Amino acid sequence: MTSNSASDHSLISTSLATPALRSDNWLNVLYLARNWAEASSKTDSIKKDLSAALTKLEEIDLFFAYPGTALLARLKQWLEEDDAKAFLRLAQRISTTIVSQKYHRDVSAWNLEELEDEPVNRLPQALTHIKNKPYFEVLSVVPHAQSRWQHIQEEARGVRRPEDEFIYQTVIVGNAPDALTAILINPDISAVVLYEGFAAHAANENPLLDVFNTVIDLSASDDEILTLRLAQAIKKIRPELDIYLLSDRNIEALAGKPECHFINRIFYQMEEPLELHLSILEGIRNRYKTPFFDNLKRYAQRPIATFHALPIARGKSVFTSNWISDMGEFYGPNLFLAESSATTGGLDSLLEPTGNIKEAQALAAKAFGADHSFFVTNGTSTSNKMVLQALLAPGDIVILDRNCHKSHHYGCVLAGAQPYYVEAFPLAQYSMYGAVPLRTIKTALLKLKAQGELDRVKMVDLTNCTFDGHVYDTRRVMEECLAIKPDLVFLWDEAWFGFAHWSPLLRQRTAMGAAAVLTESLKQPAALKAWEDQQKKLGNAPDDKTLLNTRLVPDPRAVRLRVYQTNSVHKSMSALRQGSIVLVRDVDFEHVEAQFHEAVFTHASTSPNLQIIASLDVARRQMQLEGYGLVSNAVQISLEIRKQVNSHPVISRYFKVLDSSEMIPSAYRPSGITCYNSHDISWDKAAQAIKEDEFMLDPTRMTLFCGHAGFDGTTFKNILADKFNIQLNKTSRNSVLLQSNINNTRSDIALLIRVLVEIALDLDNKITENANDYKKAFRLKVRELVEDLPELPDFSRFDDRYREKPKADTLHGDIRRAFYDAYKESECEYIPLDDPEIDKRLKSGPVLVSANFVIPYPPGFPIMVPGQVITQGIVDFMRKLDVKEIHGFNKNLGLKLLKRTAGKDKKK
Ligand SMILES: *Cc1c(COP(=O)(O)O)cnc(C)c1O
């Protein structure tokens, strides 16, 4: 498929989140219909516009069950019969039904006429009053002539039964590319039925599919291969979908093929439609079930007397109290009925799960594309410490992003592992860091190799995506590192990025997504060939420069693929605060399982919060059933905010959402992609960026630059919170971070834009109304925020006493020893920042060695770690720093330093 000109008439090609666009276009039809009904003249031109608008919509409406051919035909009939009133009535019904998604809940939405008794969506009589059955759509890919499609849909409706827990409608397409378009643009589709014999090609090409052409192969010599390839392609785009195959050949033989693991069940074409119906419902039920939550609800309903230590359980101490009953009213009885400290009554134990928690974890592992998953009720802060402790022993070296979350630094202290800090590329003009270039990581590994210490390196630990949205090429990082050391463990801190699994574009760059691809590709003969070719080319002893400049591939026979991902489910999905999960794809997991459990026992509370566990279970259910649509929507909202802010005539005078070109230096962006623009996105370029760029930007994380408005990040954050009820949490010196997530609606965009306009107009007024002095002060303030920025200090080095080979060209050090040396008060000293003693010692020694972590917020990474040598750059940065919150630093006392004598007695 080739196409780089996304025609602006095509709705398909413009957006991943077509439902929102579809709503807009239906509202446009409604608007035109009103004009038509009210117009006394010029009705011809309105009718022409209406006809064009309907034709444009038809192109995507065919991928949605609602409004369906019958209602659409009726609408067109009114247009042809020149009945403006009837047209308006129906257009009104359809558009409000689409915008409100009423067809999800209410079968009467499908009636041909408002007054007609018989709904198109015929339900058995007994059921018509039940409106709240969860609704989904089934995609059927068929070889039949279009004239038969309605019959197929009706047949599917005919097998509905009153006892069905879910209700669905069928969407029909006739070929493979249309099938992919349908699952991309219609998030309601939850299952796919492939009728063997469907066509290989579509009448119209969809440029959106180009984005996936590296992962999709629909070329096929016969029907069977095409069917299997389509099934595989569907799973690559939306792995959660169930796929059923209807075939009229020897299905027993087909079922035995390894490629068939993509398919839930194979039916003989002639078989009972009821069997298919029941299988479809069962597939949904398997995703819908939440073993722990279901059981907790049952538990809450049972009469239980408790004699364990948790007075709040059952709520009697609350509801009967004179003084705290408002808590009971506020939370409602269920919270208390669902509390228990027992692991009996089928509640299972998080620390030693054997029942429904084990089952819930298995479902989560499958949903996230992992082999194992572990629920954590104390946040990813704890998840990270668990993984570090489980896999690292004292003296092991871990390549660690210096800007990572503090749990990793403390994890090293606890485990006794020696961090080898690697530095992200700086974005000094925004006072923030990006992500760690692969070249930096490879350099560290090669230096350690040169020192004969490669065997001590156990792990590479990186943050994906970073707080500001930098996303790694996870596959490439792992491949190149494994080429240097084939048994490295990877810990990807994806605290923010859990939702990415439900985006076919972002998933490729998640830890689990890349691990899945790597597992497959390393099995292929091509992997070994690539490695052999590389060895020939590199020769026996390639120098480091050659290795750094080569896109390395690992020896597939030597690789032990060991990937861990930690994920704050509460940050991007519907889990309660602190709900986190560890995901594992480790071929050697069985050898570390015992250690892993020790680490869980070390860090997990013995009273894990049941509601958090339940919410992890439920968050997984939601993502499995509607995650795709929710994530598409969050992405679409972010694209819209980017476009609105950056093109708004008033807002853009003072504010800007930073684009890829500003957040990622061009060296890491060979595709040349510069921005995300929702309306003329070039899918070719987007595909290339995802495939080739060392870093890409998670579109949902928007850095709003506010320096030109004269606000530092913290001030601006407070204005938004105090005056406008808009909350956000991260700031830099001259920016704030906006995030869109599965919770946002388009109204949120409107609110944000309105507030920014108000603030911008206010600035306009102040500048024009006030005297020149004000302007001067404003300009000075802006310059200070935009130009006069402190250099970000890199990690310097550990003091010699914390390094085994002080002369070596490597950076790791014994952070844990330095940390505990500072426990001896007599071995520490304080020097105020402005004391000239500091300058004297910087010049002529002895070196200043930090006794503890010093972490200013923002930027939120340690400027100093225990045992680190303090440099002029660090002191300059600290002196310029004007933030209030600095963990580990007391302004009155000054820098806490380790004396020269500290730790000497322990040195062997
Ligand atoms: C928030 C965060 C954590 C800690 O997660 P909690 O769930 O808040 O404990 C760890 N790593 C990164 C990158 C984070 O952003």
Side-chain angles (χ1 to χ4, degrees), residues 376 378-384 403-408 462-467 493-496 566-571 577-581 701 729:
V376 178
N378 319 67
T380 297
S381 307
T382 297
S383 301
N384 287 334
N403 303 308
C404 66
H405 187 263
K406 62 171 163 235
S407 51
H408 301 267
L462 299 167
T463 308
N464 186 53
C465 65
T466 65
F467 215 141
D493 179 343
E494 300 197 348
W496 293 111
T566 53
N567 172 343
S568 293
V569 181
H570 69 97
K571 281 182 179 169
R577 203 160 155 82
Q578 297 195 2
S580 170
I581 193 169
R701 307 183 71 77
N729 57 16

Side-chain angles (χ1 to χ4, degrees), residues 691-708:
K691 188 162 154 248
E692 292 173 8
D693 287 357
E694 181 163 354
F695 301 110
M696 62 178 276
L697 214 51
D698 170 1
T700 68
R701 307 183 71 77
M702 297 160 276
T703 300
L704 182 72
F705 187 70
C706 54
H708 284 295

Side-chain angles (χ1 to χ4, degrees), residues 708-730:
H708 284 295
F711 297 124
D712 67 78
T714 310
T715 306
F716 190 57
K717 166 175 128 171
N718 291 336
I719 293 176
L720 289 178
D722 299 343
K723 286 206 192 143
F724 300 102
N725 283 323
I726 292 180
Q727 287 188 354
L728 39 90
N729 57 16
K730 198 216 172 218

